[in-house]
Every structure is written in structure tokens, then in C-alpha cells.
Amino acid sequence: MIRLPILFFLFISVSSVFSQQTIQEKIEATKKSDTLVIHEGVYKEHDITISKPITIIGKGKVIIDAEKKGYVFKILSDSVALKNIIIKNVGRSYTKDYAAIYVSRSNNLTIEKVTLENVFFGMLIEKSKNIHIKNSSISSEAKTEAKAGNGIHLWHCSNAIIDGNELHNLRDGIYFEFVKNSVVKNNHSHHNIRYGLHFMFSNNNEYSQNTFNNNGAGVAVMFSKYITMTHNKFLKNWGTASYGLLLKEIYDAEIVKNEFSENTVAVNLEGSTRINYTHNTFSNNGWALKVAGACYKNIFTKNNFLNNSFDVSYNSKINDNSFEGNYWSSYTGYDLNKDAIGDVPYRPVKLFSYIVNQTPETIILLRSLFVDIINFSEKVTPVFTPKNLVDKAPLMQKYND
């Protein structure tokens, strides 16, 4: 259903002017590759379909209120651009994925400076490529996963750039499924009930310079390979099942120069192999690294581990990963030859971490004398710690570039 705008009329820069026309009618009146300028006002419309190459620009404060009915824009053409528009009150459904901006089989898409408020899905894009989404804001009022959608959701897409956006109070801020050769940078994703950024079956992607705070988990990378993660901040992702970074079944990745601070678990690894962790800082987390099964040939070097309750947690006596040349704030060794490398190897796993893995309720004993005693006994006579899980060259000072 399409309704008339209630306050202002539209103006097409390349066509004659008609008052009291809907946005849909004005789109139909334009020619391919035209630019349609929408003047300031509130437009109560939904299911606005774009099926030709066109640029739509809002002039002033342009608000499209869908009144919780269906989609707002449905883009079904190549070479479409949307700029400077506010969209709110997208429809909600248990059977349809209503979105403020729905895109299908569109190439060369640009979405810039749009504000999406109280959405189900913000942008739902499928089977498209060459997508640029920048400097936009997407928010909702998500309470449960079942009743919420994602901010930017890409499915079977490639060559996307997601740059400089803010996303909050959604299910996932950004969700990639079967997406490749794409970049996520300079975004702020926070207070989402599941993940700030989520990869599923998506290879050859990178994300950098983003901030993920107060989410269920900052980022989840699952069933993907060749992911590069650099210069991101994972902050205050607290909760009984919260993580800064959750890795599950991923291979051949780079995790470089990231900051992990005040997360329940900074990085949770499960089935993750051949990943290089370098120049990262882990500070004031519950667990800096929590390693579950089937993690092989990972390399941890030149990282800073500062004041974490547990630096490393293992649930196995077998270790095939390398920990060497890191700085550990709890290291108590010495450096007699003054080469900046500790003379005594450091074992980052505490016995109490095994006990907590088996019985989480025992965490209340963390600061007790009893725990200090059993950790000391394991340090003197290791029984549970894998023999080769040791940093043979711990740094005496924090690593700085």
C-alpha cells in the first residue's frame, strides 16, 4: 500500500515538478540514470520498488515512516544509490524478513548517510556484488533473538565495503553468510544482543579499525577461512556466555594489533587452526585465551597479556600450538643476562582454570588462599598442564611497535 506524503512534495532534478506525488510515483516518472531529489518532510510509504538505475538523494531532513508495514525500499536493479534519508518503523513478521532496504541481484550499489531507526532488518542484501555502505546509522529495540533482525545482512554477496557505520540494539550488527572478498572497517557496533559482527561460511574477507563493545560477543567467525583481523577494539563484552572474539572451525587467519579489554573471554577458540596472533593486547579479561578442542598449529608471539584472571585456559593435556616471545604481567622470572628475555620459562595455564572449566561455580574461590596453594602446587609439580605449553622466551617488558 502506498500513501501520499503528508507535508511536502518531491522534486526531480531532471524532470518537471508535480506536487502531491508519492516517492514511488516519482521513481516511476524518472528515466534511467536520473537523479531524484526528495525535499524535506515526512513520507508515510512502504514497499517502494526501484527497478531501474537511479540515484535518490534526500535534501534536508527526509523521513520515510513505514508505519510497521512491510519493506520500505526494494531495490531490484543495478547501479542504484541512496543518500541522506531517514527510514523508521519497518514491518515485523515471523515469516518474512522485512527490511528498511531490501536488495536482490543488484550490482554497483551505494548506500550513504542513511539513518535506519526501529527496524527489523536494516539492510538485507542478497546475491549482489560491488556494494558500498558508508557513514550510516542503524538501530532497533531488540529484546530477544527470535524477534529481532540484523543491521546489515549480506547473503551470497561479494566485493562489499562496509565503512564508518554505527549499529546498535539489533540481533547482529553486521552478518555475512557466503560473502567473499569484502572489507569491514571503521564501524562501531555495540549493545547488540548476539554479535557485533558475524561471519558464516565466508572466506577471504578482512575487518579492521572497528570497535565492538557491550555485545553478546564482539565478533563471531565460524566455518570460514582466510580472514584478516587487524587494529580492532573488543571492549566490555561481559556475560556468562560472552566473548570478545569467538572462533569456531576457521583456518588460515591473521589476528594482528587488536585490543581486547574487559571481556569475559577475550578469544574463545574451538576447531581453529593455522592462525597467527601477533602484537595484540589482552588486558583485564576473565580469560584472555580459552582453548577448546581441535586447535592446531596456532602461533602466539609478541602479544601483551596484562592483568587477566586467566591468561590461557586449556581443556586438554595435548598442545600443538606455539606460545613464545610474549609479555605476561604475572611472570615473576628474572633476566640475569639483560637481553630483555626472561631466563625462566613461563607456563601460562593455572590449575584452577581446569577446575573452573569443570565446575564454573568455583570461580567464587578465585581470590582465595586455597586457589593460590593449588596453583602453586601445579607450578612446582605440573600434572595437568601440557608439557610443551610453555613460553620459553617471555618478554621482560611490554611489546611496543
Side-chain angles (χ1 to χ4, degrees), residues 355-392:
I355 298 173
V356 173
N357 282 338
Q358 296 297 321
T359 311
E361 293 81 4
T362 59
I363 192 67
I364 62 174
L365 301 173
L366 177 63
R367 306 300 178 191
S368 69
L369 177 60
F370 168 73
V371 170
D372 292 339
I373 293 172
I374 63 172
N375 282 336
F376 181 75
S377 65
E378 174 68 8
K379 184 177 180 180
V380 173
T381 310
V383 175
F384 294 93
T385 304
K387 183 178 180 180
N388 63 346
L389 206 169
V390 58
D391 189 337
K392 296 179 179 178

Side-chain angles (χ1 to χ4, degrees), residues 79-176:
S79 304
V80 173
L82 288 178
K83 299 179 182 179
N84 196 33
I85 293 173
I86 300 170
I87 297 173
K88 62 183 184 180
N89 298 328
V90 175
R92 282 175 167 75
S93 171
Y94 286 105
T95 57
K96 294 185 177 180
D97 294 332
Y98 288 134
I101 300 172
Y102 168 75
V103 182
S104 179
R105 301 178 187 276
S106 172
N107 300 324
N108 306 316
L109 171 72
T110 300
I111 300 174
E112 182 179 359
K113 294 183 179 178
V114 301
T115 300
L116 311 181
E117 300 174 347
N118 193 19
V119 297
F120 187 44
F121 282 80
M123 302 177 194
L124 177 56
I125 302 171
E126 59 183 27
K127 296 187 176 180
S128 301
K129 61 184 179 181
N130 300 329
I131 302 156
H132 199 173
I133 301 170
K134 59 183 179 180
N135 301 328
S136 296
S137 174
I138 306 174
S139 63
S140 191
E141 300 171 355
K143 302 297 182 186
T144 64
E145 291 184 16
K147 295 181 179 179
N150 303 320
I152 298 174
H153 184 124
L154 270 60
W155 181 69
H156 273 286
C157 294
S158 63
N159 300 98
I161 299 175
I162 314 294
D163 183 5
N165 306 286
E166 182 176 9
L167 310 105
H168 60 94
N169 297 99
L170 301 146
R171 181 170 60 192
D172 292 350
I174 302 169
Y175 180 88
F176 279 9

Side-chain angles (χ1 to χ4, degrees), residues 314-380:
Y314 255 62
N315 69 349
S316 169
K317 294 182 180 179
I318 300 173
N319 173 51
D320 188 42
N321 304 302
S322 171
F323 296 84
E324 190 157 323
N326 301 285
Y327 175 77
W328 312 86
S329 62
S330 56
Y331 178 65
T332 56
Y334 43 81
D335 180 21
L336 293 178
N337 61 2
K338 306 300 181 184
D339 63 352
I341 297 175
D343 297 340
V344 180
Y346 178 70
R347 295 187 180 277
V349 176
K350 296 178 180 176
L351 173 59
F352 188 55
S353 68
Y354 287 98
I355 298 173
V356 173
N357 282 338
Q358 296 297 321
T359 311
E361 293 81 4
T362 59
I363 192 67
I364 62 174
L365 301 173
L366 177 63
R367 306 300 178 191
S368 69
L369 177 60
F370 168 73
V371 170
D372 292 339
I373 293 172
I374 63 172
N375 282 336
F376 181 75
S377 65
E378 174 68 8
K379 184 177 180 180
V380 173

Side-chain angles (χ1 to χ4, degrees), residues 31-312:
K31 299 177 182 177
K32 290 182 178 179
S33 303
D34 276 354
T35 296
L36 171 63
V37 177
I38 305 177
H39 282 202
E40 183 170 309
V42 178
Y43 302 86
K44 295 195 174 184
E45 292 187 50
H46 61 278
D47 291 340
I48 301 168
T49 302
I50 301 173
S51 56
K52 69 182 77 171
I54 189 174
T55 296
I56 298 178
I57 301 175
K59 185 176 182 181
K61 191 172 184 179
V62 175
I63 300 173
I64 302 176
D65 185 348
E67 301 181 292
K68 299 183 179 180
K69 300 175 183 176
Y71 301 86
V72 180
F73 282 106
K74 300 175 73 173
I75 298 175
L76 309 175
S77 169
D78 291 342
S79 304
V80 173
L82 288 178
K83 299 179 182 179
N84 196 33
I85 293 173
I86 300 170
I87 297 173
K88 62 183 184 180
N89 298 328
V90 175
R92 282 175 167 75
S93 171
Y94 286 105
T95 57
K96 294 185 177 180
D97 294 332
Y98 288 134
I101 300 172
Y102 168 75
V103 182
S104 179
R105 301 178 187 276
S106 172
N107 300 324
N108 306 316
L109 171 72
T110 300
I111 300 174
E112 182 179 359
K113 294 183 179 178
V114 301
T115 300
L116 311 181
E117 300 174 347
N118 193 19
V119 297
F120 187 44
F121 282 80
M123 302 177 194
L124 177 56
I125 302 171
E126 59 183 27
K127 296 187 176 180
S128 301
K129 61 184 179 181
N130 300 329
I131 302 156
H132 199 173
I133 301 170
K134 59 183 179 180
N135 301 328
S136 296
S137 174
I138 306 174
S139 63
S140 191
E141 300 171 355
K143 302 297 182 186
T144 64
E145 291 184 16
K147 295 181 179 179
N150 303 320
I152 298 174
H153 184 124
L154 270 60
W155 181 69
H156 273 286
C157 294
S158 63
N159 300 98
I161 299 175
I162 314 294
D163 183 5
N165 306 286
E166 182 176 9
L167 310 105
H168 60 94
N169 297 99
L170 301 146
R171 181 170 60 192
D172 292 350
I174 302 169
Y175 180 88
F176 279 9
E177 186 172 4
F178 300 107
V179 175
K180 61 184 180 181
N181 302 323
S182 295
V183 176
V184 178
K185 61 182 180 179
N186 304 313
N187 300 283
H188 184 195
S189 188
H190 59 97
H191 295 93
N192 298 296
I193 58 176
R194 195 166 65 176
Y195 306 127
L197 170 63
H198 189 183
F199 293 89
M200 290 289 287
F201 310 107
S202 295
N203 304 328
N204 298 292
N205 298 300
E206 65 176 87
Y207 65 93
S208 64
Q209 306 282 358
N210 303 283
T211 297
F212 307 100
N213 66 277
N214 299 96
N215 300 288
V219 177
V221 185
M222 301 181 179
F223 307 101
S224 302
K225 56 187 178 180
Y226 305 118
I227 306 294
T228 300
M229 319 169 209
T230 61
H231 294 97
N232 300 287
K233 293 183 178 180
F234 303 80
L235 311 173
K236 298 181 183 296
N237 297 291
W238 280 112
T240 53
S242 294
Y243 311 96
L245 174 58
L246 172 62
L247 304 176
K248 184 177 178 62
E249 300 297 333
I250 82 164
Y251 304 90
D252 302 296
E254 299 288 333
I255 300 178
V256 180
K257 295 185 177 179
N258 299 284
E259 177 185 346
F260 299 86
S261 181
E262 298 187 52
N263 303 284
T264 301
V265 180
V267 181
N268 191 85
L269 303 80
E270 183 177 348
S272 301
T273 296
R274 296 188 300 274
I275 301 173
N276 294 321
Y277 300 78
T278 64
H279 305 88
N280 302 289
T281 295
F282 303 86
S283 63
N284 302 298
N285 301 286
W287 285 261
L289 303 173
K290 200 167 188 178
V291 184
C295 295
Y296 306 111
K297 300 186 183 302
N298 297 292
I299 297 174
F300 300 85
T301 186
K302 297 179 180 176
N303 300 289
N304 295 316
F305 292 84
L306 311 174
N307 307 312
N308 303 293
S309 297
F310 301 105
D311 288 327
V312 180

